[in-house]
Amino acid sequence: GAYSIISYARTGQPSSGWGTGFLADQNDSALAMVSLTPLAIALFQTSKGRIRRALSAIGLASIPGGVVCTFSRGGFGGLVIVLFAMSMLSKRRLITLAILAAMVVGSWVIAPGSYHARIASISDYQQDDSMQGRRCAWRSAAMMFHDRPFFGVGPGNFKLAYGLHYKVAKEIGKWIEAHSIYFQCLGDLGLCGCIFFFGLIFMTYRDLFRIYRRGGRDPDLFWERKMAAGIAAGLLGYLACGALLSALYYSYAYYYAAMTVCMTRYTRRE
């Protein structure tokens, strides 16, 4: 979050992300911040000592501003969703919701007018080239699924298949991404891949809610309860932002699933 804010302050342009890897794209950078926001909240709630809580609060406060500085529309929508989810999972719902809403509103107020215009453009998606490109990619994914319903065109082959066989609009670039984890899964992996991927998501949420309920009954599991809430909301952020991003093979869902397995085994021993 701090990096995006500093980058925007120095250049006056939307932050392009971090480094040269998958975080280099501004939308992917926003996805990372949105997915990790609930974990940052959970760590703040469970931190002991003034210094740790202060550092956690500073880091947490920078995230909404960082998302705004990426100018990512999906990132802003995902941020609102995860903050609302975390407030609903808190015992002090109204207070938590008020604090988190103040963070979002504050970031919105100080954002430049160009960012407000970009968010407002969501309602005029028919005139938005970016959105029209996504719709073309989604139609192509449906065609791939129709032709190869069980196994798709293969992991990571969406771009290649689109350029060679499934291009639906001449004005759209030849090699286009799926721009959605759902259509990416459908086109790349077919029905079998969808069953495995969404089965993983379902089982992760099932175990998270079991940990959350168990923590409500056992005060010794306070940390696990907060982390379960954070992971559940973080995964929700990934699923929300991922509706517009080719993030199927990013590590968030799989790390969250692994963390859930570890916490499940630990709480069972307790």
Side-chain angles (χ1 to χ4, degrees):
Y3 174 84
S4 295
I5 294 172
I6 294 172
S7 176
Y8 178 78
R10 291 179 59 188
T11 64
Q13 299 295 324
S15 173
S16 58
W18 179 283
T20 58
F22 73 95
L23 291 179
D25 180 81
Q26 60 196 53
N27 291 310
D28 292 335
S29 180
L31 168 62
M33 286 186 277
V34 168
S35 297
L36 295 175
T37 295
L39 288 182
I41 295 174
L43 289 173
F44 171 75
Q45 293 173 330
T46 57
S47 294
K48 297 180 180 179
R50 294 181 180 179
I51 296 178
R52 288 185 179 180
R53 289 181 67 85
L55 292 175
S56 298
I58 293 172
L60 179 59
S62 70
I63 292 177
V67 172
V68 168
C69 288
T70 64
F71 277 50
S72 172
R73 293 169 292 187
F76 186 81
L79 180 65
V80 172
I81 290 173
V82 299
L83 292 180
F84 179 77
M86 285 300 290
S87 66
M88 291 298 100
L89 291 172
S90 173
K91 287 185 177 180
R92 301 177 179 178
R93 290 185 177 87
L94 293 179
I95 296 176
T96 305
L97 182 61
I99 294 173
L100 298 178
M103 293 169 58
V104 174
V105 172
S107 299
W108 175 265
V109 170
I110 65 176
S114 55
Y115 181 74
H116 296 166
R118 180 166 175 76
I119 296 298
S121 67
I122 295 176
S123 61
D124 193 23
Y125 68 91
Q126 292 182 340
Q127 305 299 322
D128 189 309
D129 291 340
S130 175
M131 194 61 201
Q132 291 308 308
R134 284 175 165 82
R135 294 180 69 184
C136 287
W138 299 344
R139 288 199 297 269
S140 295
M143 293 165 59
M144 294 176 197
F145 179 73
H146 179 269
D147 292 346
R148 299 171 180 270
F150 295 106
F151 301 106
V153 298
N157 286 334
F158 184 95
K159 236 170 142 179
L160 181 63
Y162 178 90
L164 293 178
H165 305 294
Y166 296 97
K167 193 174 180 183
V168 297
K170 294 182 179 180
E171 66 275 10
I172 301 300
K174 186 174 182 179
W175 312 105
I176 193 172
E177 297 284 0
H179 290 294
S180 170
I181 58 175
Y182 306 103
F183 286 100
Q184 187 178 15
C185 190
L186 202 66
D188 270 12
L189 307 178
L191 183 61
C192 292
C194 288
I195 291 174
F196 278 103
F197 178 73
F198 292 107
L200 175 69
I201 299 297
F202 171 78
M203 290 187 291
T204 299
Y205 269 116
R206 180 199 62 187
D207 291 343
L208 286 172
F209 284 118
R210 287 176 178 173
I211 296 169
Y212 185 79
R213 288 196 301 267
R214 194 175 296 129
R217 298 190 298 265
D218 187 349
D220 292 334
L221 297 177
F222 172 78
W223 185 89
E224 287 76 8
R225 177 180 169 87
K226 291 296 183 182
M227 291 303 295
I231 293 173
L235 186 55
L236 178 62
Y238 164 76
L239 294 173
C241 293
L244 299 175
L245 295 175
S246 302
L248 178 65
Y249 306 117
Y250 290 0
S251 58
Y252 305 107
Y254 312 106
Y255 275 130
Y256 284 153
M259 293 168 67
T260 301
V261 170
C262 293
M263 288 202 302
T264 299
R265 292 178 63 88
Y266 177 78
T267 54
R268 282 177 180 172
R269 289 179 181 179
E270 293 293 314

